[in-house]
Structures are given as C-alpha cells and as structure tokens.
Amino acid sequence: MIFSFPLIGVLLFIALSFLLWMRWRMKASKAKFALSVVSSMVLCFMFGLSSMSSTLPTAIISKFSEALGYGPITTSAPSLITFIITLIVLFFIYKFGVKAIKNWEAPPRVSEIELEEKCLSNSVAALSMEQLKLFLKRQSDPIASDVASNWKEKLAETPKPIETKDLLRDMLVSALSELRLPDDGWRDEDRIWIGEILGLTKEQRKTVIVLILDDAKDVSNINTRVDNIQLKHGNLKNCRVFAIYLSHKDADCDVKELSVNGVNVELYSSRQLILMGLDLYNYARELVIAFENTLVGGTNATLQDSFVDLNITTDVNSSQSAPFEESFKNWLERYSNGHIAVTGEYGQGKSTVLMKYCVDWARKFLATGKIEGRIPLLIELRGQSPCESDPLTFISSWCTRYRLLPQQVMNLIKSGEAVVIFEGFDELRNAGRGFYRHQHFNALWKFAYPNTKLVFTGRPNFFLDEEEVNRTLRTQANRGASGESYTEVWNLKKLSTEQIEFACRGFEPEVRDGIISAIADNKDFFDIVSRPSMLPVVATIWPQIAELQLAGAQLTGADLIERYVQAVFSRKEAELERDRVRLDAPTGSRYLVLPKQVRELLTICVAWKMSGLKYKNTISRSEISDMIRETYEIIVTMSKAEGVSPDVAQGVIEFEKRYSEDSLADRVETITTEVCSAGLLINDAAGGNTNLRFPHKQFFEFLVAKGIAIISDSNDYRASVVLSKSSNEKNLFTRLRNENNSINYLSECIGQDLKRILSIFTRLYVAMEFLFALLLYEAIEFSEVISKKITNKVGEKTEQKGSYNFFGESNSQIIYNSSRLIVTFSLIPLFIAGFLIARSDELKQSGLTLLVSLLLMLIHFLLVLKSPERRGKIMITFLRAHWNRAGQKPKNLKHELSLAIRSMLKGKVVFPNNKIDSDVNYSLFVYPAKDFGTSKTKGTKN
C-alpha cells in the first residue's frame, strides 16, 4: 500500500514541523494556523488508526485500501496503547494550538476582524472554517487596515464650543419663529445680526437688528452701540431691535425694554429666550405628578412616600460611601469635563434617585418661575437607538412627549445649561452586539457640549468586560487631566437597616412592622429587601407571607423566592406595557428582544450550567454564550410547536424576523446580552473580569431546585430538553450533593413524591443502606446495654436514647459510613463469583466469557456508583425538610431510619405522625416550562 503507515507518519511530521514554524515566525494568519492545527490533528488520528492492530478502524481502512488496489494494511502495534497515545498527542496538539492563537502577535487579518465582532476570534473551529471557506473560494486573507482593526478605538469627538453669537441667534429664532436671521446677516465689526421679521404680506415685513451683548453688565453700553449703528446704517426707528446676552448663574437684568433716542430695544437673556421657546411648566408638572402619584408595587405608597436617599461609592474611592444627593450637588458645582455613570444592580433605585433630583428642580421652578442652575432633562433610553439618528432627531420624540421644541432643547444643551440624564443604557434597542453598543455611546457623547453635564444610568453587567466599560464610558483617569471628556463611575449601595425602616414609612402599619421585625431576625430576608424595588414587592404580598409564616414557612422559602424572581422579570414587562399604552410605542421599539418566558428559561439554564460545572454561583459570560449557542435551535423549534403559549410563539417568530439577516453568532450575542443585563444576573468581579452571578446565593440554589422540578415533572415538559442540553452533567443528585438549601427548596417544589426523582432501583438501594444502618445502630445499642449491665450503668440508656441526629453527630456518622461500607463490600463477592463463573471452561468455550464478565462488572459498578454516598444524605435532608415544615419530629434515630426506609419503599414521604397529604399546587414551580408545552415521549428518571 502506498498511502499507509510510513507515508502518514511523514505527513504528520511535516505538518507538526510546519505548525511549529508558523508559530515561531507568525508569518501566516491565525486562520491558517488554526486550519494547520486541525489538519495536524486529523493526520495524527489517521496515524494512530493505521498503527493499530486488529481493530475495526484498521479493518475498514484496510478494505478501502484493497478496493483502491493498494493492498491490505498490516500493523503490529498494541491497539489499546496506540489509541491512548494518539488521544494524548491530539490533546497536546490542540492545547498548543489554542495557547498559540490566544498569544498571536502578528497583524490581524480581515477574517479575524469579522470573527472578533462575534467573539470567535480565538476559536480554533471558527478560524479553521473561515480559512477553509477562503481556500475553497480561492480568496486571500489580507492584513486588516487600521480602520477595520481599530474600530473600537474610534471614539466620536465631543462637540466643540459654539460661538456665543450663533448660539444666541439660534435661541432667538427658536423663541420667535417668524424671525429670519440668515448666515450672511452677521456684521462682525458691529457685533450685530441683520435680518427680517416676516408678516402676512411683503409690505408688512420689517428689518430686524439683533445686538449681541457680552453679559447683563453690558446693557449699560446699549446707548452708545445704537448711536454708532444709526450713524453707519441710518435711522433704526422703523426697525425692530433686539439686544440679547448669555446669562449664567448671575441674576438676569430686570429691564425688559429700553428706549434709546426714540428706538425701542427689546432686551432678552438666554434664559428668557429658553422659557419663551420651551413650555418647561408642562415638563415640570409631569415630573412632579409622576413622583407624587406613581404607586410602588401593589401598595398604596407612592414614590414620594417611600423614597430614601441612597449612598454611593465611586471608582476613585470605593472604600467609603457618601450620600448620593450631597455628592451629586458637589459634582454639579464643578466646572469640568467630568460626567458620571450611576450604576447598580436590578431594582437598586437608579431611576428613582435621579427622578427625585429632577422633581426637586421642578418644584422650585413651578414655585418661582425662575431657572436656577442647570435644567435637568430626564431622557429614558428604553427602546431607543441613538446611533440611527442625529442628536436633534434623537431627542425629538422625547420632546414631543412634553410638548417641547426640539431645536430649543438642543440650544439649551449647547449653552451648557442642562444636565442630560440618559436613564437606562442597559435598555437600549439593538445593543446586543459590541459594535452597536459602541456606536450608541458614540452618539450619546455628541451631547457633551462644554459645561453641559451628562449622567448615564444602567447595570454594569451590560458591558462585556472592564475594557469595554473604560472604552465606552471613557472612564480612564488620564482623560480628565488632558482636558477631554471622561466619566466617573458611581456605584449605588444597598439600603441599610435604617434606610429600609424609613422607606417603609408609607406602608400599612402591620406591613411596615412585619418587615422591620423580619429584617432584624433573618439576614437572607434582609439581603433581598435591601433593594428599593423589592420592598414594594414584599409589601404587596406581605399578607401571604404572614400567613405562610404562621404555617411554618420560612421568609426565604421557595414560594417567596419564586415571587421575588417573578417580580424582577415582570417589572421590565410592566415598563414596556406602560410605554405601549401611554405612548403607543410600536412593537419594534422593544429593547427586550425575547419573550419573558424565554428569558426566564434561559436564566434557569444559567443556574443549571453553573451547578453542572460545580461552580458556586459564578459563571463566565463566554460559558453563557456557549450554552445559548447549544440551545438556540432547540428553543426556536420548540417555540413553534403545538401547545406552546401564543406569547412565546409570537415573540420568537418576531425575533427571528427581526434578526433574519444576522448570523447565528450575532443572534447568540444579542440573546446573551439580554439574559446577562435584563434579568437576575449581576457582575462578579471576584470570579473573573467577565464573570456573572446571582445577587443572592438562594436565588441560585432555588433555580437549581426549580430545574430539577421541571425535568422530573410527570407532564414531561419540552423545556426539560433545553435544560438537559444546557449542561453535560446529567445526574441530578450530583448538583445537590453540596447544596443543602437546594434540597430544601426541592422539597417545596416537588412535594412528597419521591418517584419523581428516584427510580425504583435507586430507592431500593437507598432503603437497603438505611436498613444496614438501622441494624448497625441496633447492634451498637445492644452492645451498650450489655456494657451498662456489666458496669451497673443501665440507667444511662434512657438519657442517651433521645439523640437521633443520623448524619449530624459523630457517632451517627460512624454508623452511616460503616453501613455504606457493608453495602459496598457485600457486592464484591457477587462480582468475584460472577467473574469466576464467566471464566469457567463451559462459558469460555461458548464465547460468552467477555459478555458475562462485562455484564457482571456493569451491575456491580452501577450499584457502587449509585450508592447513597451521593443520595443517602440528600434524601435524609429532603425528608427532614418535609418533617420540619409539618412541625413533626422523629422520636429517635431508630424512628428516623424506620421512616426513611418506609419512605423509600413507598416512594412517598412518610411522616412521623402519619400526616395526610395537603392540597398544594406545585405548578407554580414549573413556570415557565408549562408555556412551552409538553412532549409525547416520556423521559426516563435518574
């Protein structure tokens, strides 16, 4: 044979040498190097196959070789050893390739730039596929230009200062719409604008002269200037004359009209011009009404009744906190190019604390009619796409809502007399990809006129990593030193106990007292209500909480955690519904691209993947992307099936239509951004730069239990397929081994039916272990009785019999471990006997030796692997959770073991006092799975 062992070996040697040369010289592109890595792995695998003896792959290759006329392949290398060595070599080639690609230092190619936008620039598979496409198309992969490779570094320039004459002219024209001052009407020597004021007819038109003053103090020079103008241009009595100046914090001139040698001069400050063109009264009233009348949650308390000033930490000084209101006022008084980004987790009060500042301004303005300081413009970014329009067009829709003139609002911003608050940058439309996020913020920075202050609010986990935060928000400290615009990041702190008590002042007395009492007794409950948005949720359902507490439920029980989780997801939907009703917002303006049920399911999948990877409430963003990529097609197909909720089906179809021209990688990135920034997840700096976590560990523990409830439900929901696909760990109990709280939550989510999570095989095995433990306990107890009789200490038996903590105390642990050893070693004789039988001459001659031996080995190791070391502790914790909620307690250890055995055999929790089943609706815990319908094929239990 020509194409055989020696030739493949030579080709492999050449491929590996070429691989090392490319890595050393870095002459080729990353894509070519990746394709070489894949090619080397394929050749290595072929080399390994051709080296094996008497194996199926060798036989198949040999047949092909004979068919091609090259003759059979014959090798003598041991197959198993060769195969293992081949796998080891493949692993090292792959690891070498991955490390080399991550550390690649050559100039980037065009293909790499395109993959980088999809977060695949270091993927061996993606790079190889890209190079293969270029090879088949016979196209080259040129080095990318600086423009293409450095688009992230291309930041929009902030606006330059506008000349006072142009700014004042724009303000006057906006205030008096019939006025016309053309660009060629400026006379620099006299510092005047010459134009006309339109009338119904040509005869009614009047010449207009506009004097530009330096400030209010310059009013005293008007006489001289008017006289000089009349000397040059003739009498001004038939003209309409204006004098305007730029006013700052100093008081405006009280004089509104002057008479100079028979010429009437109308005097206006820039602030007066702003008021003439803007109905700020309407805007201010809307702010106050919203703050005073908007109810929080389902309570009777308004935002005003429950508001409490929050504390912040800054990126400059993260160790000390300061009141937000005081820090904000100090920042406003600083004349610099510094702006701020107020960040916080979901429901932490970002919107409310800035709305309070706007309302304080509005109340002062409505009371005095005067503008003091900068005017706050509270612009919601929800559903907006600023990169698709110029600044004037972008703010037009917002201006229309409050009957404001867009051009005059822009004049206000240009004059440096505005605080532009961009509220909710994590809710921007089309912000799922890094490129669009970059473009959106470039568009927002176009509002950063000199002296105008910008405020951004949103969740920090909206961005991919710290590098994107620095680039997009321009947080680098050296920017301020060089005079460029920059941003300080302010992080909102959670509520303290005192702040929670003050925030509850508007609630009903029994609700307020109940919450205050609960936060003093339960730290986990305090962690939940320390978010301003969670307080009204808790207050709304407090009567149910109090009722559940009387029944023995915990403040952080599964039922309440489920309600908390639902409140988080429903909050965003409520905002979108409000926009739809109040503003008649179109469907395409939604910044949330997925239905609520899909986002919730994917959030459960995140927790499922965390536990499958044995992480403790932390996961990298890339792992979330991988999970979404693996489940995307399943979710899309499932969402179109019969029995799926119309909301889910319609939402997924709209998503596909909206992003039909995007690649799978782009859609995955969009979905990843939404799951990470519009749900429960928050940043986890301790886990890694791109890591995320759930804000409370009990959320993670509960969602793991909820995932098990969905997978084990008898309705066999289609959503369980998505969960299974999201993690490679298929054993449910591996997830529960070190998560006692998840076990407790699971007992609430599935009730007393053990058959949902344990097959009959496992239940029998667990029962057998409990039986051995019981027998061992009886033996120890009997030996103690004999010992006491001998030592005349029989009376001590009664005192010690009450101790029954099977897994909690050292003596009980010895009993447990001993019983497990008994069970395990009792199976060893079975294996040995079976193996000897299989080796007998009769079976050996019949050819069944291997089959019988493997079968007995399989039975033995299945029993050992499914041993209660994994499930015994879990099941006893599960049973105790039920007993504790029912207020029942076994009499002693013997009674506990007896109940555990009976529960395993019956497949249902047996209570110490023979408690009768209560009617509990567990469907609450399989939401949103039921909205995706059920499958006809029944799943198997673990």
Side-chain angles (χ1 to χ4, degrees):
M1 173 185 175
I2 297 175
F3 192 69
S4 61
F5 178 86
L7 180 58
I8 296 176
V10 171
L11 290 174
L12 177 60
F13 176 77
I14 294 173
L16 292 175
S17 301
F18 183 61
L19 203 64
L20 291 169
W21 181 82
M22 279 200 296
R23 174 63 183 91
W24 176 55
R25 298 298 301 273
M26 289 190 179
K27 292 291 185 183
S29 65
K30 277 204 297 187
K32 280 186 179 179
F33 180 79
L35 185 60
S36 299
V37 170
V38 174
S39 302
S40 299
M41 292 175 67
V42 171
L43 284 173
C44 180
F45 186 67
M46 293 176 62
F47 181 80
L49 289 181
S50 64
S51 303
M52 295 180 189
S53 61
S54 303
T55 60
L56 180 59
T58 305
I60 294 173
I61 294 174
S62 182
K63 289 292 185 184
F64 274 105
S65 177
E66 288 185 74
L68 295 172
Y70 295 121
I73 293 176
T74 57
T75 60
S76 58
S79 300
L80 182 59
I81 295 176
T82 304
F83 185 69
I84 293 173
I85 292 174
T86 301
L87 292 181
I88 293 173
V89 175
L90 285 173
F91 173 77
F92 279 108
I93 292 176
Y94 177 75
K95 294 298 289 185
F96 168 75
V98 170
K99 187 173 181 180
I101 285 173
K102 287 183 178 179
N103 298 318
W104 203 260
E105 297 174 357
R109 305 286 177 138
V110 172
S111 62
E112 297 168 30
I113 299 301
E114 294 175 355
L115 290 175
E116 185 178 7
E117 294 183 27
K118 304 172 185 177
C119 299
L120 295 172
S121 58
N122 291 326
S123 169
V124 175
L127 288 166
S128 302
M129 187 59 67
E130 196 69 23
Q131 183 59 38
L132 191 59
K133 289 178 183 176
L134 292 173
F135 177 76
L136 294 175
K137 294 178 181 178
R138 297 183 180 180
Q139 294 179 354
S140 62
D141 191 7
I143 295 175
S145 66
D146 290 339
V147 175
S149 58
N150 298 320
W151 64 267
K152 291 181 179 179
E153 308 304 323
K154 186 180 179 181
L155 302 178
E157 292 186 5
T158 53
K160 303 297 181 184
I162 297 177
E163 289 191 51
T164 302
K165 65 179 182 67
D166 295 323
L167 180 61
L168 289 174
R169 178 192 67 163
D170 291 343
M171 287 183 175
L172 182 62
V173 170
S174 297
L176 303 174
S177 57
E178 67 273 19
L179 200 64
R180 182 175 175 270
L181 298 175
D183 292 340
D184 58 1
W186 175 248
R187 302 292 182 267
D188 192 58
E189 55 184 355
D190 298 316
R191 298 192 69 240
I192 61 173
W193 284 99
I194 300 177
E196 61 181 355
I197 189 163
L198 304 177
L200 294 176
T201 62
K202 288 183 178 181
E203 291 75 18
Q204 292 178 327
R205 291 185 179 181
K206 251 187 179 182
T207 301
V208 171
I209 305 293
V210 181
L211 287 75
I212 302 298
L213 309 182
D214 292 328
D215 50 37
K217 297 177 183 178
D218 200 23
V219 172
S220 59
N221 298 323
I222 288 182
N223 292 351
T224 304
R225 292 189 61 183
V226 169
D227 289 341
N228 291 336
I229 292 171
Q230 288 193 109
L231 288 174
K232 288 183 179 181
H233 303 284
N235 198 309
L236 300 180
K237 289 184 179 180
N238 295 325
C239 300
R240 191 168 178 181
V241 181
F242 296 91
I244 55 180
Y245 61 93
L246 201 62
S247 57
H248 296 288
K249 285 192 173 182
D250 51 339
D252 292 338
C253 178
D254 294 330
V255 180
K256 305 302 179 187
E257 190 171 337
L258 296 172
S259 179
V260 181
N261 296 330
V263 178
N264 290 327
V265 180
E266 300 176 45
L267 185 63
Y268 293 105
S269 70
S270 59
R271 296 191 178 214
Q272 290 169 333
L273 293 175
I274 289 170
L275 282 175
M276 289 172 63
L278 291 177
D279 183 10
L280 289 176
Y281 288 96
N282 180 64
Y283 168 59
R285 281 192 295 267
E286 289 286 341
L287 289 173
V288 175
I289 290 172
F291 190 72
E292 292 180 349
N293 296 340
T294 300
L295 299 178
V296 290
T299 69
N300 294 323
T302 63
L303 286 175
Q304 178 175 259
D305 298 333
S306 59
F307 175 79
V308 57
D309 190 26
L310 301 176
N311 292 334
I312 58 134
T313 59
T314 66
D315 52 354
V316 177
N317 188 357
S318 59
S319 59
Q320 293 184 349
S321 63
F324 174 84
E325 185 176 358
E326 178 184 339
S327 302
F328 197 76
K329 288 179 179 178
N330 292 337
W331 168 73
L332 285 175
E333 292 174 0
R334 298 202 310 258
Y335 279 92
S336 69
N337 291 325
H339 308 276
I340 61 171
V342 181
T343 64
E345 301 162 9
Y346 72 89
Q348 212 163 333
K350 302 179 293 293
S351 304
T352 307
V353 75
L354 283 163
M355 187 176 188
K356 175 62 165 55
Y357 163 73
C358 295
V359 169
D360 288 344
W361 168 85
R363 285 171 173 164
K364 289 180 183 178
F365 172 72
L366 291 173
T368 63
K370 294 182 178 180
I371 303 174
E372 296 182 4
R374 293 182 178 87
I375 299 173
L377 305 176
L378 185 61
I379 301 176
E380 295 175 342
L381 294 179
R382 183 170 58 250
Q384 303 298 315
S385 186
C387 72
E388 295 178 356
S389 58
D390 60 88
L392 181 61
T393 306
F394 172 69
I395 64 169
S396 293
S397 59
W398 178 84
C399 293
T400 303
R401 188 184 312 171
Y402 298 106
R403 298 195 292 275
L404 301 174
L405 295 176
Q407 184 59 60
Q408 196 70 321
V409 171
M410 279 304 303
N411 290 336
L412 175 66
I413 296 171
K414 291 175 182 178
S415 69
E417 294 300 316
V419 181
V420 187
I421 303 171
F422 292 119
E423 201 275 308
F425 59 69
D426 54 315
E427 300 174 352
L428 283 164
R429 183 160 54 95
N430 296 332
R433 296 175 59 189
F435 174 77
Y436 284 114
R437 292 194 294 273
H438 182 77
Q439 293 297 89
H440 283 326
F441 272 89
N442 272 350
L444 295 178
W445 278 109
K446 292 180 181 178
F447 290 90
Y449 285 89
N451 292 326
T452 290
K453 297 286 191 176
L454 300 188
V455 181
F456 305 97
T457 77
R459 297 196 198 183
N461 51 312
F462 171 73
F463 302 104
L464 179 64
D465 50 30
E466 193 64 26
E467 181 185 347
E468 186 178 358
V469 174
N470 293 337
R471 182 180 66 250
T472 309
L473 290 177
R474 308 186 184 191
T475 57
Q476 297 91 336
N478 59 345
R479 284 184 170 275
S482 62
E484 298 180 67
S485 294
Y486 68 98
T487 301
E488 297 176 19
V489 178
W490 292 6
N491 302 300
L492 287 176
K493 301 285 287 182
K494 295 179 183 177
L495 296 175
S496 64
T497 303
E498 294 75 17
Q499 288 174 320
I500 292 175
E501 292 180 5
F502 185 65
C504 291
R505 66 189 182 277
F507 298 163
E508 297 293 330
E510 60 273 13
V511 174
R512 180 182 64 248
D513 295 341
I515 292 176
I516 293 173
S517 174
I519 62 175
D521 299 334
N522 192 304
K523 181 180 180 299
D524 289 337
F525 181 73
F526 169 76
D527 287 341
I528 291 174
V529 298
S530 59
R531 300 169 191 278
S533 69
M534 293 308 297
L535 266 178
V537 175
V538 172
T540 303
I541 62 174
W542 188 257
Q544 302 168 46
I545 295 176
E547 185 178 342
L548 289 168
Q549 278 187 293
L550 289 175
Q554 297 180 348
L555 279 167
T556 54
D559 184 66
L560 297 181
I561 295 293
E562 174 67 18
R563 294 174 191 270
Y564 299 154
V565 171
Q566 290 302 317
V568 173
F569 285 101
S570 298
R571 179 169 170 263
K572 294 294 184 184
E573 295 296 322
E575 291 174 351
L576 294 174
E577 180 63 17
R578 184 194 66 188
D579 289 349
R580 187 190 68 80
V581 173
R582 192 182 71 176
L583 307 175
D584 197 24
T587 304
S589 67
R590 282 177 58 101
Y591 72 94
L592 295 177
V593 299
L594 293 173
K596 171 173 171 278
Q597 297 92 325
V598 176
R599 279 185 285 118
E600 288 191 59
L601 179 60
L602 288 173
T603 302
I604 299 172
C605 288
V606 172
W608 197 249
K609 190 170 183 70
M610 275 185 190
S611 65
L613 294 170
K614 299 180 179 60
Y615 294 164
K616 292 292 184 180
N617 191 23
T618 187
I619 191 170
S620 68
R621 193 179 181 116
S622 61
E623 286 169 324
I624 296 177
S625 293
D626 292 341
M627 180 270 293
I628 292 174
R629 187 178 296 107
E630 291 167 0
T631 58
Y632 176 79
E633 293 297 339
I634 299 174
I635 291 176
V636 170
T637 304
M638 175 181 66
S639 300
K640 299 175 183 178
E642 185 180 5
V644 174
S645 166
D647 292 339
V648 174
Q650 183 177 350
V652 172
I653 290 172
E654 287 177 358
F655 171 80
E656 282 210 293
K657 297 292 185 185
R658 184 171 172 179
Y659 296 95
S660 59
E661 297 182 2
D662 289 5
S663 66
L664 175 61
D666 292 337
R667 279 176 273 178
V668 167
E669 185 182 356
T670 299
I671 296 172
T672 301
T673 300
E674 182 160 313
V675 171
C676 292
S677 63
L680 295 173
L681 295 169
I682 63 173
N683 277 351
D684 181 25
N689 289 333
T690 64
N691 274 39
L692 300 164
R693 65 179 176 87
F694 292 98
H696 306 297
K697 191 169 185 289
Q698 59 260 41
F699 282 8
F700 163 66
E701 294 161 338
F702 168 73
L703 290 176
V704 171
K706 185 170 180 175
I708 295 176
I710 291 172
I711 282 184
S712 63
D713 195 276
S714 58
N715 287 315
D716 209 14
Y717 292 112
R718 292 192 188 99
S720 63
V721 180
V722 182
L723 280 169
S724 298
K725 187 70 175 177
S726 67
S727 174
N728 293 327
E729 179 57 65
K730 304 305 178 187
N731 193 320
L732 303 182
F733 288 85
T734 301
R735 304 172 184 278
L736 297 173
R737 187 185 305 173
N738 299 315
E739 302 292 349
N740 281 350
N741 280 343
S742 291
I743 301 170
N744 292 328
Y745 287 136
L746 182 64
S747 68
E748 297 180 68
C749 292
I750 68 172
Q752 303 161 19
D753 187 6
L754 300 177
K755 297 175 183 177
R756 283 183 62 174
I757 54 176
L758 294 177
S759 65
I760 185 171
F761 174 84
T762 305
R763 284 190 286 112
L764 289 175
Y765 193 83
V766 174
M768 184 168 65
E769 161 160 359
F770 288 151
L771 178 60
F772 276 115
L774 181 59
L775 293 175
L776 187 60
Y777 173 77
E778 292 281 7
I780 294 174
E781 190 179 57
F782 179 74
S783 66
E784 287 179 352
V785 172
I786 299 299
S787 176
K788 288 173 184 176
K789 284 184 178 181
I790 295 173
T791 58
N792 296 321
K793 293 183 179 181
V794 180
E796 295 181 7
K797 177 181 176 182
T798 306
E799 297 176 9
Q800 296 183 0
K801 195 164 184 177
S803 176
Y804 72 94
N805 192 353
F806 180 35
F807 289 105
E809 299 184 13
S810 58
N811 290 338
S812 301
Q813 192 65 34
I814 292 172
I815 294 172
Y816 168 73
N817 289 334
S818 300
S819 64
R820 181 173 177 270
L821 286 173
I822 292 171
V823 175
T824 303
F825 282 110
S826 67
L827 298 172
I828 294 177
L830 173 64
F831 169 67
I832 294 173
F835 185 76
L836 291 175
I837 293 172
R839 296 291 297 175
S840 64
D841 292 338
E842 293 81 1
L843 290 178
K844 200 170 183 180
Q845 294 299 324
S846 66
L848 295 177
T849 304
L850 183 61
L851 180 61
V852 174
S853 179
L854 288 176
L855 183 61
L856 290 172
M857 287 176 66
L858 180 63
I859 293 173
H860 174 257
F861 284 110
L862 277 177
L863 289 170
V864 173
L865 288 173
K866 283 182 170 283
S867 71
E869 190 277 328
R870 291 184 174 187
R871 307 198 176 188
K873 291 181 180 179
I874 294 172
M875 291 319 301
I876 205 69
T877 305
F878 182 89
L879 294 172
R880 284 176 181 164
H882 277 287
W883 298 336
N884 290 336
R885 277 201 306 278
Q888 301 183 28
K889 190 175 183 180
K891 298 175 184 177
N892 48 38
L893 176 59
K894 187 190 299 184
H895 190 202
E896 183 175 79
L897 290 171
S898 168
L899 292 171
I901 294 170
R902 288 168 56 195
S903 297
M904 293 302 108
L905 296 177
K906 191 175 180 180
K908 193 174 186 180
V909 177
V910 176
F911 288 85
N913 299 342
N914 294 321
K915 175 182 169 65
I916 300 175
D917 294 343
S918 57
D919 294 329
V920 180
N921 182 14
Y922 298 107
S923 62
L924 173 70
F925 302 110
V926 293
Y927 180 83
K930 54 187 177 182
D931 281 4
F932 292 91
T934 60
S935 174
K936 294 181 180 180
T937 305
K938 295 287 181 181
T940 57
K941 292 178 180 169
N942 290 298

